[in-house]
Amino acid sequence: MRVLMALIIIVPALEIGLLVLSGNTIGPWPTVLLIILTGVLGAWLAKKQGLETIRRVQDQMRYGQMPSDAIIDGLCILVGGVVLLTPGFITDLIGFLLLFPATRKGIKPWIGKWIQRFIKRGNFTIIR
């Protein structure tokens, strides 16, 4: 909970600082256009990746396989799409890292371990 509170305070402060720096460096209008561009590009990429993941989940379930990897992909895509809609360069970087399959592949094992820790502690339950 402390880490979450720190992120809620620190990330917006850093975002504001970077936006002001960007506005001073390249100008306010290019900064605003860049934020809009990353939001639109992120929404398009999230939709594209999300639809591919849904198809993959359906295929895996059709063949009787557990789609655990695809579910983690879906979670990454959801979080990546949401943070890309948040204005700022740090959240955009996080969002694109979660949306691109190549970088998401490196992040997924960490997320899997994080979920397993939650399950072992009893903070996360699976309903069957």
Side-chain angles (χ1 to χ4, degrees), residues 56-123:
R56 203 166 77 239
V57 166
Q58 290 172 338
D59 288 343
Q60 288 175 344
M61 290 180 73
R62 187 177 304 124
Y63 294 111
Q65 299 171 345
M66 183 62 158
S68 59
D69 192 52
I71 290 172
I72 293 177
D73 274 336
L75 180 65
C76 290
I77 292 165
L78 175 67
V79 172
V82 168
V83 296
L84 269 168
L85 294 175
T86 306
F89 298 120
I90 296 170
T91 53
D92 288 348
L93 175 65
I94 293 167
F96 282 121
L97 288 173
L98 290 171
L99 284 179
F100 287 121
T103 54
R104 187 172 61 234
K105 185 177 180 181
I107 296 170
K108 284 191 310 186
W110 180 81
I111 293 172
K113 289 177 187 174
W114 182 71
I115 291 171
Q116 286 176 351
R117 262 198 336 254
F118 263 78
I119 292 170
K120 286 179 184 176
R121 288 183 189 160
N123 299 341

